[in-house]
Amino acid sequence: MMRLTPISNLMARPSFLPPFMFGLLFATFGVILSAKYSSITVDQSALLALKSHITHDPHNFLATNWSTSTSVCSWIGVTCGSRHHRVTALNLSSMDLTGTISSQLGNLSFLASLDIHQNSFHGTLPIELTNLRRMKYLDFDNNSFSGELSSTLGNLSKLERLSLDWNQISGRIPNSLFKCKELKFLSLFNNSLEGSIPTEIGNLTLLETLDLGDNYFKGEIPLVIGNLTSLQFLYLSNNNLTGEIPLVIGNLTSLRELYLNNNKLTGEIPLVIGNLTSLQFLYLSNNNLTGEIPIVIGNLTSLQFLYLSHNKLTGEIPLVIGNLTSLRELYLAYNKLTGKIPSTIGNLTTLEVIDLAYNNLSGEIPLVIGNLASLQMLYLFNNRLTGEIPLVIGNLTSLQVLSLDSNKLTGRIPTPPPLLQFYAVSTNNLIGEIPSSICNLTSLGAMALHENNLEGTIPKCIGNLSSSLTAVFLGNNNFHGQIPENFAKGCMLRSLHINNNELGGSLPRSLGNCKALNLLDVGNNNLNDTFPSWLGNLDQLQVLILRSNRFYGQIESFDITVSLTKLRIIDLSHNNFSGYLPTLFFEHMHAIRDEYGKKVEPNYMREVKIMKDAHLFWVNYAYGLSVTAKGLEMKFESLLSIWMQIDLSSNQFRGEIPKILGELHLLIVLNLSHNCLVGPIPSSLGNLSELESLDLSSNKLEGRIPTELINLGFLEVLNLSQNNLKGPIPQGKQFDTFTNDSYMGNLDLYGLPLSKNCGTDEETPAIFDRDDDGDELNWKFSILMGYGCGLVLGMSMAYIVFTTGKPWWLIRIVERVRRRFAKR
């Protein structure tokens, strides 16, 4: 029987269902909304925790913007996803922030990109970052992170880019990193990582860029590197890698840049290098590679940069080098290459830099060098090149650096290119005068023409160019006349070498306009002048060489406050200076006197010049400088700032040695010999703790040798001969190493090493009981024996000097000084 439902009941049911359904929907929406806001609150808390770890925000990027009053998604550097409104990317790069990374950053569970490069974050990377399973992009370049990489890096399975360049990460690369098989970019450049390159790196077959340069990796390049066939950029430079370049490198046919330079790689350049036809950058310099440059190098027609310098490569430069028509820079310097410079080099019309220096190349400079219209730098120095400098070099209108020194070039100096900044043709056999066209080089910064057979006068325009010129080397030629007198205000000269010529007249006072002058060498000329006290205005002057001229008169006391306070090498020897030694002069020599010099890092007197396109070249201001110690000349290729020397020998100075000399604590060489000095040797000289050479010979000094000189623990050379010294010779330490030569001509000295001994200060007369004939015979015999021994000794010494070519006692001094100061 069918039951009929009352109409009233049917009307009542709808009144119940809508409120229930509405409540259910409201509750569901509330849960979703609550979840959304709680999640975004987690993100906000994580970011605010990061903000609290930042100790320096100089531009107030976060201080004024990351505020709870605004949505996280509107904060600077923050990107949120459109679907879930969660933080998906954080970019705080180049904000100059300082601080540490909060562990709560690991709570940003939707984060896929984190970029904080170019800041000053420090400390360790929190392990919580490995919780970010969605992470694809991590860039922590250029910070100061330290510690080791987490062994849980493998959790970041979606990671495609990891960049930790320029930090202080240490330890080994954890094997877990190689579980991140999606990695396309891995850069750990310039850290302190060590150990061998793990073989597991072969798992990262999607890698396009691998940069492990500037670390402490050792061992061989793993063969599994050949698995990484997608690699376009491989950087392993500046490590301690050994062994040969693996043949599997030939598998990497997509490579565009290969950097293996500055390691300890051996063997030959493999022929498979010819497979890498996409290669644009090939850096193999500073290794121990041997053999010849392979002919297959000619296959690399896309190559723009070829660096093979500082190896042990032999043979000739292959003719196929002319195939590399895209080449911009060619560095083959510091090898053992022979033969001629190939004429095919003229095909390389895009070349900007050629460096073939320090090889054994011979023949003439090819005329096709004139085809290289883009050439900016040409280094051919220290080879065996002959013939004349090609005139076509003057047509290279882009050339800025020309270095042809230390060859066997002949003829005259041709017209130089118009934009030349560095011009070096020294140590050749060039003749004639300096061309007047050199006066047109308004950008000339350094000019080295020394050690040739040049003659004539120095062009007056040298003074006019001094607004750009920083270094002039004209020494060891045959120039006569006078030094130009027109050094203008604003003169930029740092170094002036015009030694060993035939220049006369006086030292031009206009040099006083060269306020930056570091080094002045006018030695071995015919200059006739009084001491240039006006040089006291040059407060940057460090080296002053006036030796072997005709300077005369007294060294006047300075009446100015500057007075050469940075002077550390002064050589006034072999002149006609007279009067007392200048006490006030020594008082102002703060560079030698002050103890602070010991705390300064030793450096060379040189400066790097930056040209356009970021090309660099060094100007070595002290190149070729020679100093004299114990009558032997020593030439510097470069001069450390810790070399301190005073040489006032072979003049007519009189009076006593000033005690203040004992306050020049950093002095290494002191020579006051061949003067008219009297009185005692000051005991204060025992305070010269760095002294290695002391020559007071051929004066009229008297009294005892101060026992305080025993304190000179580094004293290598001592000459007190030809004086009026008396009493016992001090014993012990360095004094036990000196021979008779150190004391000859002092009749009242006794004790070792002299054969004359005395128990007291009083002279004991000799007693003879032999007859006169016997005395005469013994006297003649003694002379013959002395003459014979002297002849043998002299010939032996001459043989040693002429066969070795080097005074080894002096070499030991220089090397010991270098090592001693390097430890400080």
Side-chain angles (χ1 to χ4, degrees), residues 720-751:
L720 304 179
S721 64
Q722 306 303 325
N723 280 288
N724 299 318
L725 300 171
K726 66 177 182 179
I729 295 173
Q731 302 297 310
K733 297 184 179 178
Q734 293 302 104
F735 271 80
D736 292 345
T737 67
F738 303 135
T739 64
N740 287 6
D741 291 344
S742 296
Y743 311 107
M744 290 178 62
N746 292 279
L747 300 180
D748 294 329
L749 279 179
Y750 58 85

Side-chain angles (χ1 to χ4, degrees), residues 75 129 181 368 407 478 492 507 738 796:
W75 289 3
L129 292 180
K181 296 185 179 181
V368 292
N407 280 287
N478 301 309
M492 297 298 293
L507 204 59
F738 303 135
S796 301

